[in-house]
Amino acid sequence: MSSIVLSPFNQTCYQLINKYFGEIVGEVAKFLLSRRYGTLFNIKTGTGMSLWDVKRALAVLIHQNLVEFQANEQNPNIVDYSIIYHNAYCLLRYAKYLYTIKRIFGSSEEVLIEILLNIGQASASNVIFHSANKLNKAIDDIKVINPSDLYQSFQKLAANNFIIRCPKIEIVENMPKLLEFEEKDKFIVPQLEMEPIAKLLREKATQIGEHSDSEIIWRVNHQRFEVELRNVILVNAAARRVDETTGKLYHLILKLWREANPTEARVSNAVSYTLVKDAVRKNDGGSPMLMEHFDQYLRVLYEDSTGLISRVGDSGGGQFAVNYADVFENFACSILDSVVLERFGSKKALRIFRLTRMQKFMTDQDQMQKLAMVSPKDAKTLSYKLMKEGFLQLHEQKKATSNVGPVKSFNLFYVNLPEVVRGVLETSYKCVSNALERQAHDLTVNKCLLERHADFENILEQLRGEDAPDNEIAEFSDSMTVADKELVAKVLKLCDRLKLVPIQADETILILENYLKFHSMP
């Protein structure tokens, strides 16, 4: 399996699965990532693993919503397994999910999501029971958490579509089939009796056992979290363009757009001036300044060049919508400009790239050097480098001539924005993959040293807790050499920096993915 070469995106997915679920599960995932799908026999043969290990790994992947299955087209008695690519990559965003839920709702809802992410799929009663146990341990059993409060929190998460019901499995003609629920039924939480759960908590039980909703299974709704993360990017952009109050106004308008748009579209439905002002008035306690200067803040938003808000009508004081395709195109262009400047280290290259993108076509290098105000030598050199790296494309245009004589043609430079974005997206995936691989390598190479340092710190803390004499503490502290301490500090500092790389790169990836998604919509 080590000889299999994966694309940067698939390699990132493999490393994330390998990191969180171990090598056995990782090898099965790697096979499916390279083949897209496979039967139980194919996976066993391709990985060289025992049938028991393959079955166990597939069970983990299915339970974690990372693998789906369906009957083979040629032989319905055989099951094909395939990776859910988006869910595998979303392992990187779990920390952001928890922060998002805590910011919107609070700690109880955060614990519910954390438990559901750890389990993968579970009933509401199971999630509530384990969440209550976790919260009880956190408060040192001073009081028992009321599961009814967690049940209400679970209902909030379902009502806001952050969790969703899993399809029901039914046996049809001796074959398992997934039966999807209707849209309105996917987010309805059944009525549950909390007294049996409260009794188990009082008895310090560790397992919930049989319960009434054991066949109603829930999972995290990645699409809803992606919308929320996208909204955070938009709100932060509005705040950076003007100020924090503008960000708050844009956050309120995004809520109205979400209520007016049950499904995602390239352009949102319009909301009226009156509706926006009513929403601000209801939220007046959050920012009195926003209500006082509402008209000015709204005008700044829809007149801004980034297109965060578009005015699409004048009825009812004005109609406002957002063209997601245009907004994320502006964001993507900004990212590409930064990449060009960073990669080529020249503002001249940036001017050439930006002007070519804005002009749609550049007739020749003479026009390029005049518009970009660069020398003929720089125009030739930089245009060649930009073409070589895939930031510029060349289109050959034939001149209209008579049938007699050679056909004349000239070249046009242009920017194929979706293609350039895909190239930068691949680079971003590779950046995440390299950071994960280097982090795993450093931790493996220095494993013995880090374990020894952890034991050293634990014993040192224990001595301090026991009020040991200072000379004994100092003597033990000197048992680890200065060189080892410096090496441990260096390794931990590097790992901390490497942990930040995927998180920071993911924001760029999210913007570029949303650009491609909305650009492809009709």
Side-chain angles (χ1 to χ4, degrees):
M1 286 299 294
S2 58
S3 61
I4 292 176
V5 179
L6 300 175
S7 68
F9 175 75
N10 287 351
Q11 182 69 17
T12 301
C13 294
Y14 160 67
Q15 287 175 344
L16 287 168
I17 293 172
N18 194 69
K19 176 182 178 181
Y20 291 113
F21 303 105
E23 293 183 2
I24 294 177
V25 177
E27 287 302 308
V28 172
K30 189 173 186 178
F31 178 86
L32 292 175
L33 285 165
S34 65
R35 301 292 181 88
R36 301 189 70 86
Y37 64 89
T39 63
L40 188 62
F41 178 77
N42 294 148
I43 299 170
K44 177 183 177 300
T45 306
T47 58
M49 294 162 55
S50 68
L51 187 62
W52 167 250
D53 284 340
V54 172
K55 286 182 176 181
R56 189 173 56 171
L58 284 173
V60 170
L61 290 168
I62 291 170
H63 202 69
Q64 292 291 333
N65 309 298
L66 301 175
V67 161
E68 57 187 356
F69 56 89
Q70 60 182 6
N72 187 281
E73 293 181 359
Q74 297 177 350
N75 186 352
N77 294 318
I78 298 176
V79 176
D80 284 332
Y81 300 93
S82 58
I83 283 279
I84 307 174
Y85 292 87
H86 181 259
N87 290 5
Y89 177 78
C90 282
L91 288 168
L92 184 63
R93 295 175 177 163
Y94 280 8
K96 291 183 179 180
Y97 288 3
L98 296 177
Y99 175 76
T100 298
I101 292 299
K102 187 171 184 178
R103 175 177 55 84
I104 297 174
F105 299 105
S107 298
S108 297
E109 289 80 2
E110 180 193 13
V111 172
L112 287 168
I113 290 293
E114 183 182 359
I115 293 297
L116 191 53
L117 287 172
N118 288 336
I119 298 176
Q121 301 176 3
S123 64
S125 295
N126 197 12
V127 174
I128 291 169
F129 172 76
H130 286 290
S131 299
N133 262 338
K134 183 180 177 69
L135 289 169
N136 284 335
K137 291 177 182 177
I139 61 177
D140 297 326
D141 296 334
I142 297 172
K143 65 174 184 177
V144 177
I145 295 294
N146 186 358
S148 298
D149 296 337
L150 291 175
Y151 175 60
Q152 292 176 4
S153 298
F154 195 92
Q155 288 178 313
K156 284 183 193 175
L157 292 172
N160 286 275
N161 299 357
F162 285 106
I163 55 177
I164 186 172
R165 286 181 66 175
C166 296
K168 191 175 181 180
I169 300 178
E170 288 195 0
I171 305 299
V172 179
E173 297 178 356
N174 295 325
M175 285 297 297
K177 288 193 176 182
L178 297 177
L179 301 179
E180 291 283 353
F181 294 99
E182 293 184 12
E183 194 66 29
K184 62 182 178 63
D185 296 328
K186 290 181 179 180
F187 306 101
I188 297 177
V189 182
Q191 290 295 325
L192 300 176
E193 289 293 332
M194 290 294 104
E195 183 53 37
I197 296 178
K199 182 180 178 183
L200 289 172
L201 293 172
R202 289 192 295 269
E203 295 171 353
K204 310 293 184 184
T206 57
Q207 297 295 329
I208 189 172
E210 290 295 325
H211 48 283
S212 59
D213 62 323
S214 58
E215 294 186 359
I216 302 175
I217 307 301
W218 297 83
R219 63 174 175 82
V220 166
N221 186 3
H222 293 290
Q223 285 72 25
R224 177 66 182 90
F225 275 101
E226 186 176 319
V227 170
E228 198 60 39
L229 294 177
R230 183 183 75 203
N231 289 349
V232 169
I233 291 173
L234 293 170
V235 170
N236 289 341
R240 283 195 301 268
R241 292 291 290 184
V242 190
D243 59 15
E244 291 295 327
T245 307
T246 311
K248 291 177 182 177
L249 173 59
Y250 198 73
H251 178 67
L252 291 173
I253 297 174
L254 280 172
K255 281 186 176 179
L256 296 176
W257 278 329
R258 183 175 174 271
E259 292 170 2
N261 295 270
T263 57
E264 289 202 87
R266 185 185 178 99
V267 182
S268 71
N269 293 332
V271 295
S272 67
Y273 170 91
T274 308
L275 196 60
V276 175
K277 194 162 188 177
D278 286 344
V280 172
R281 189 179 290 111
K282 291 176 184 176
N283 196 56
D284 191 26
S287 178
M289 186 183 293
L290 178 56
M291 191 64 204
E292 184 180 351
H293 303 287
F294 170 73
D295 291 339
Q296 290 86 340
Y297 278 114
L298 187 60
R299 185 179 298 109
V300 167
L301 274 174
Y302 71 73
E303 289 180 354
D304 190 77
S305 59
T306 54
L308 289 168
I309 289 181
S310 303
R311 185 163 181 160
V312 295
D314 297 322
S315 61
Q319 299 286 321
F320 303 96
V322 59
N323 188 322
Y324 289 110
D326 289 347
V327 171
F328 280 99
E329 181 175 333
N330 289 332
F331 289 172
C333 289
S334 179
I335 289 172
L336 295 180
D337 289 348
S338 299
V339 171
V340 169
L341 183 60
E342 183 71 24
R343 184 171 296 186
F344 298 98
S346 168
K347 290 186 177 180
K348 295 177 182 179
L350 175 58
R351 284 204 301 272
I352 290 172
F353 174 73
R354 186 181 288 168
L355 287 167
T356 306
R357 190 182 71 235
M358 294 169 64
Q359 293 283 333
K360 303 299 183 185
F361 285 101
M362 286 282 191
T363 54
D364 52 29
Q365 287 181 340
D366 291 334
Q367 183 192 14
M368 185 183 290
Q369 69 189 45
K370 288 177 183 177
L371 289 174
M373 294 182 290
V374 297
S375 65
K377 181 181 178 181
D378 286 339
K380 290 179 181 179
T381 304
L382 293 173
S383 61
Y384 171 75
K385 288 182 178 179
L386 286 165
M387 283 181 55
K388 185 179 178 182
E389 295 291 333
F391 290 95
L392 287 184
Q393 286 75 36
L394 200 62
H395 175 69
E396 184 178 356
Q397 183 69 41
K398 294 181 180 180
K399 289 184 178 180
T401 59
S402 61
N403 295 330
V404 181
V407 177
K408 295 182 179 180
S409 63
F410 59 93
N411 294 323
L412 297 175
F413 293 97
Y414 70 101
V415 175
N416 185 340
L417 194 57
E419 197 61 36
V420 177
V421 166
R422 290 187 187 96
V424 174
L425 194 57
E426 284 292 299
T427 305
S428 300
Y429 290 137
K430 193 170 185 180
C431 169
V432 174
S433 174
N434 289 345
L436 292 171
E437 188 171 354
R438 178 58 191 268
Q439 184 185 348
H441 171 76
D442 287 346
L443 291 175
T444 302
V445 170
N446 298 285
K447 182 180 179 180
C448 293
L449 178 63
L450 292 173
E451 287 178 351
R452 187 156 59 87
H453 180 261
D455 292 340
F456 169 81
E457 289 293 331
N458 289 334
I459 295 172
L460 194 62
E461 190 66 29
Q462 186 177 355
L463 289 173
R464 287 170 181 162
E466 295 173 352
D467 294 329
D470 292 342
N471 60 340
E472 185 180 344
I473 294 175
E475 184 181 351
F476 181 78
S477 182
D478 293 336
S479 64
M480 192 169 191
T481 64
V482 176
D484 282 348
K485 290 179 181 178
E486 290 177 351
L487 181 58
V488 167
K490 183 180 178 181
V491 171
L492 292 177
K493 183 178 179 181
L494 179 60
C495 287
D496 287 341
R497 291 173 64 184
L498 288 171
K499 284 179 183 177
L500 293 176
V501 172
I503 296 171
Q504 293 171 347
D506 183 55
E507 185 170 334
T508 298
I509 288 170
L510 188 61
I511 291 172
L512 298 180
E513 284 179 341
N514 274 281
Y515 163 71
L516 293 174
K517 180 176 75 172
F518 288 114
H519 176 78
S520 63
M521 287 183 180

